[in-house]
Amino acid sequence: MKTATLTASIALFGLSACVARNPLLSYGPQPRVEDCTQIQQATPTKYICDGKQYTSVQLTELRHGTVAGK
Amino acid sequence: MKGRWQAALAAWGCFILLVSAQLVWAQDASSVSKQTTLWVDQKTGQVFIRAGRGRMPMTFGASPEQIEQEVEARTQQRTQDAVRAAVAETQAQQRFDNAQMQQQVDRIKPAWASYMTNFQNKFRLGALAYFDYSFYTHTGFGPQFLENMNPPGPYNNGYNSFDINRVYLNTYFTPTDDLTFRFTPELYRANGTATADRTGANTGFGSNLDGSLNVRMKFAYVQYTGLTDGISSLTGGNLTAGAQPNPLLGWEEDFSQYRFVYLSPWNYLGLSSSQFGLQFNGPIKPNGSEKTYLDYGIGVYDNGKFNQQEQTDTKQGMARLTAYPFGSSWRYQGLGLTGFYNYGYGNVAPDIGSVPTALKGPIAHFTRMAGIVSYAAQAWNLLGEFDYGQNAFQLNNLYSGSGPLDAFGTPTGTAITKGGWAGSSCAPAASGTPCYPTANTWGPQTAAYTALLNNGRARELGVDFLGHYHIPGTKLTAFGMFQWFMPNDNVNKDPLDFQRFVAGISYQYNEYLRFALDSQNLLFYHDQFSMPVSYLSKFGYVPGSKLNGQSVPKTGSIYNLVPLDTHAIFLNMEFAY
């Protein structure tokens, strides 16, 4: 009985992962802030993504698709 | 033969026709104005060229008056048409001009709008906030894990709290491209008992100073970045004057990227992140290289921290030099070798600092040195550090988080008020000197720690590691920090030797918000032991002297010198804009 409940729970969790986007995974247009490395906590914060420097504001605009990549 | 005659006859006919034709000029007025009048018999309808009975005149053609009227009418019509056209054209032009004028008016901005646009381009406002929830499975005395955190000491296991570690409001004003002014107020916890105010003979009101989160100045400086722009290798150098980050901590905190979770090693030990002074920073890119090969910061500052009144007639100096042997494409990238040196004096007035004493204690000089090897890639970094210091970690640093009451002027435990104890005679305070008890107190231990840390000859050694690794395809990053520190390696076995370690995982929600779940620990790793008074005397311990009005041991040993450990679980949050 316990095994069946556990199996059902895992299946349900897996199914929910298919329905809703997993918040732990990285997604969206690149570059993404989680893939970049922070080099200075300033106003605005500065990041390096694939060797290029971006600010947090620029990364937000890229994520929203409101500006072309640098 | 017959054809020739016909051609000749046709030519003759044409000649006669041309000769006999009468010339009529196009503008011959006589032909235009001439009227022809015939007379019509009304009965028969016959037409005659002369007048007669029953004949009615019938005139053909226009009279000069009619022609004149006709011409006048046509001229008037043409004039009116021309005027109408001119008016229409003028109106069209007017409409066009009006439209142009309206566009110009629309483009004209009022003076205040122009000022605001300029202001916006030259003014930046940012915010930085660190919040956390902490749960202490084991509480103990020690340095604070983060700012504004003062958890209770031993025997308060299970203590937990929501805290605000930092709130900055960063304001930058850049009137020119090479000049920046920064002002950063920050939130801090006001600690210390304040007396109530009174007014009149019988009225009082309580103090609200103790425990409040107040606002104070953290950074305020002017930075000039054009000083070395004329030298291609030194482009980017800047001169900063005011209350500013020192050359090491800002550099190391940006490297670690986890200032919202833990303090960098020397910061934890007491080096302030903000000093009043003059500093020069910059990269060195030799021969116009795109890569940075050297990065430096050097300055002179007050001996007091940003939140202390400067009292000395000396100043402290700091210098950091980072070399990137293979060049660095972006800040920290690749292998880096860093050296840091800091030399200064205790923040006391000259009339105290200049008094010759065997053990200068807190008025002695201090030294902080760090040798760092680092490597940074986009997904991970690692830093190893060796620390060396002199008088750089004293009792106030040990208890920056929390400490026993004995270190702050109030004795703990039940004093011994009769007989003799540890070589001293004990008596009630009214008639003599009570003695510190042997148990349930931190008095003798505090006296011992003061001797070990504040004797003016303490030498510190430390080793640290920190780094992080971003888990590919996720918003998660694992991070950690380990610090091993010996507050005075002149002591054979120092009960205050400790290890601090932080391990956790962070979650990057977006560009401005980050969370971390981590464990923070402070371990005084020696097994419990006691230390003879005779040995402590070598470090300035005065047997039988008074502390908080009570005698400390004169003979024998001081027990239970190894402090209790601290273990806590933190949930940190960072907001940065």
Side-chain angles (χ1 to χ4, degrees):
Chain A
M1 185 61 186
K2 285 183 179 177
T3 306
T5 306
L6 183 64
T7 306
S9 300
I10 293 172
L12 191 62
F13 180 78
L15 192 63
S16 67
C18 296
V19 174
R21 181 175 280 159
N22 190 332
L24 299 180
L25 298 180
S26 179
Y27 60 87
Q30 291 181 325
R32 307 168 191 139
V33 65
E34 58 266 27
D35 298 327
C36 305
T37 187
Q38 186 188 103
I39 58 166
Q40 189 176 16
Q41 189 165 72
T43 302
T45 303
K46 295 174 183 172
Y47 294 91
I48 293 292
C49 314
D50 298 326
K52 295 179 182 176
Q53 183 173 314
Y54 296 84
T55 67
S56 54
V57 175
Q58 288 173 322
L59 289 173
T60 302
E61 291 174 345
L62 287 166
R63 180 161 54 85
H64 291 160
T66 53
V67 73
K70 183 181 176 183
Chain B
M1 192 64 182
K2 186 179 177 182
R4 287 183 181 175
W5 278 105
Q6 286 177 338
L9 186 61
W12 179 252
C14 289
F15 175 75
I16 294 301
L17 183 61
L18 290 172
V19 170
S20 62
Q22 186 179 359
L23 292 174
V24 179
W25 302 107
Q27 301 301 323
D28 189 350
S30 62
S31 66
V32 173
S33 61
K34 190 175 181 179
Q35 286 186 309
T36 302
T37 303
L38 301 175
W39 284 262
V40 179
D41 190 306
Q42 291 183 316
K43 289 181 179 176
T44 63
Q46 290 180 291
V47 178
F48 300 90
I49 61 173
R50 296 183 184 86
R53 179 180 290 178
R55 299 176 186 172
M56 292 295 293
M58 183 175 62
T59 303
F60 298 95
S63 67
E65 293 76 13
Q66 288 175 322
I67 291 172
E68 186 177 349
Q69 289 174 357
E70 181 70 18
V71 168
E72 187 176 353
R74 290 188 180 184
T75 303
Q76 190 173 3
Q77 182 66 35
R78 278 199 293 270
T79 303
Q80 287 176 349
D81 290 345
V83 168
R84 262 191 227 104
V87 169
E89 185 178 357
T90 302
Q91 288 176 340
Q93 183 65 40
Q94 187 67 40
R95 283 195 295 272
F96 177 77
D97 290 346
N98 287 345
Q100 291 288 97
M101 178 67 76
Q102 188 59 44
Q103 287 180 0
Q104 288 182 356
V105 169
D106 291 344
R107 278 197 295 268
I108 294 174
K109 292 178 179 174
W112 65 265
S114 173
Y115 174 79
M116 288 304 294
T117 304
N118 243 357
F119 191 72
Q120 183 182 5
N121 292 337
K122 297 178 184 303
F123 187 81
R124 282 179 291 146
L125 187 63
L128 180 65
Y130 300 157
F131 305 96
D132 74 61
Y133 170 76
S134 56
F135 181 88
Y136 289 78
T137 58
H138 299 77
T139 54
F141 297 132
Q144 56 185 189
F145 285 142
L146 289 165
E147 283 179 277
N148 300 328
M149 296 193 69
N150 303 101
Y155 315 122
N156 291 288
N157 297 349
Y159 167 80
N160 62 93
S161 69
F162 292 96
D163 299 296
I164 297 175
N165 307 127
R166 169 169 289 177
V167 172
Y168 281 177
L169 202 58
N170 286 318
T171 54
Y172 295 88
F173 184 58
T174 312
T176 61
D177 290 343
D178 54 7
L179 201 59
T180 300
F181 169 74
R182 177 185 180 183
F183 177 67
T184 300
E186 77 156 353
L187 220 60
Y188 77 101
R189 174 82 66 189
N191 286 326
T193 303
T195 54
D197 282 338
R198 58 178 293 172
T199 182
N202 305 306
T203 307
F205 26 80
S207 168
N208 59 2
L209 298 176
D210 186 17
S212 291
L213 286 168
N214 297 344
V215 175
R216 68 183 173 193
M217 188 277 298
K218 182 68 178 286
F219 299 115
Y221 61 75
V222 173
Q223 187 174 68
Y224 177 64
T225 56
L227 200 62
T228 56
D229 282 357
I231 308 169
S232 62
S233 299
L234 301 179
T235 300
N238 60 74
L239 181 66
T240 308
Q244 58 191 293
N246 68 49
L248 177 66
L249 295 186
W251 179 90
E252 195 166 12
E253 288 169 1
D254 281 340
F255 181 92
S256 76
Q257 306 177 24
Y258 283 89
R259 173 59 183 83
F260 77 109
V261 174
Y262 61 81
L263 301 178
S264 59
W266 271 121
N267 196 195
Y268 183 73
L269 300 172
L271 174 60
S272 174
S273 59
S274 176
Q275 263 95 16
F276 285 91
L278 193 65
Q279 183 173 300
F280 195 60
N281 294 287
I284 297 178
K285 301 178 178 180
N287 304 321
S289 169
E290 291 290 318
K291 292 186 174 182
T292 299
Y293 285 87
L294 288 171
D295 183 81
Y296 62 90
I298 184 169
V300 58
Y301 318 87
D302 283 348
N303 285 306
K305 297 187 289 188
F306 73 99
N307 55 356
Q308 294 175 332
Q309 175 76 39
E310 173 68 0
Q311 299 185 46
T312 68
D313 58 352
T314 57
K315 294 291 165 278
Q316 65 172 313
M318 293 190 208
R320 176 189 56 80
L321 181 66
T322 300
Y324 298 96
F326 305 107
S328 177
S329 300
W330 39 268
R331 197 181 185 203
Y332 306 119
Q333 187 265 326
L335 178 66
L337 306 171
T338 299
F340 170 75
Y341 183 76
N342 170 212
Y343 191 93
Y345 297 89
N347 187 26
V348 294
D351 59 356
I352 295 177
S354 60
V355 176
T357 53
L359 296 173
K360 293 179 79 72
I363 64 175
H365 80 279
F366 58 80
T367 304
R368 297 182 182 95
M369 296 172 66
I372 298 173
V373 179
S374 62
Y375 190 90
Q378 185 168 309
W380 63 276
N381 68 11
L382 187 63
L383 181 147
E385 175 177 337
F386 171 75
D387 296 325
Y388 173 88
Q390 293 175 339
N391 307 314
F393 184 78
Q394 302 194 339
L395 195 71
N396 62 324
N397 303 123
L398 175 66
Y399 292 146
S400 64
S402 61
L405 277 173
D406 306 271
F408 300 102
T410 303
T412 58
T414 304
I416 301 171
T417 57
K418 59 182 180 181
W421 180 81
S424 298
S425 296
C426 310
S431 57
T433 304
C435 298
Y436 258 112
T438 53
N440 299 321
T441 181
W442 281 275
Q445 288 86 349
T446 299
Y449 300 158
T450 303
L452 297 178
L453 299 177
N454 291 19
N455 63 60
R457 295 178 182 174
R459 189 175 71 176
E460 296 88 27
L461 294 176
V463 175
D464 321 289
F465 296 96
L466 60 89
H468 72 252
Y469 175 72
H470 171 61
I471 302 170
T474 71
K475 295 185 173 186
L476 303 174
T477 299
F479 64 89
M481 192 282 304
F482 172 79
Q483 179 173 19
W484 175 28
F485 190 69
M486 291 172 278
N488 191 349
D489 86 319
N490 290 321
V491 181
N492 289 337
K493 184 180 180 183
D494 188 348
L496 298 177
D497 291 345
F498 70 81
Q499 292 171 347
R500 176 176 67 123
F501 68 89
V502 179
I505 193 158
S506 67
Y507 175 75
Q508 184 89 44
Y509 177 74
N510 63 20
E511 294 80 8
Y512 310 104
L513 201 57
R514 196 158 50 135
F515 301 91
L517 179 64
D518 50 282
S519 168
Q520 305 214 18
N521 308 273
L522 172 64
L523 290 82
F524 295 94
Y525 54 85
H526 289 300
D527 291 334
Q528 196 57 263
F529 68 96
S530 59
M531 193 172 276
V533 166
S534 57
Y535 182 72
L536 284 168
S537 300
K538 297 178 182 178
F539 298 92
Y541 177 86
V542 181
S545 62
K546 282 186 180 179
L547 175 66
N548 301 320
Q550 299 183 12
S551 294
V552 296
K554 193 173 185 178
T555 58
S557 296
I558 296 178
Y559 303 98
N560 300 324
L561 280 171
V562 180
L564 296 177
D565 298 342
T566 302
H567 299 277
I569 303 294
F570 275 66
L571 179 61
N572 307 83
M573 186 179 84
E574 173 197 58
F575 174 84
Y577 180 78

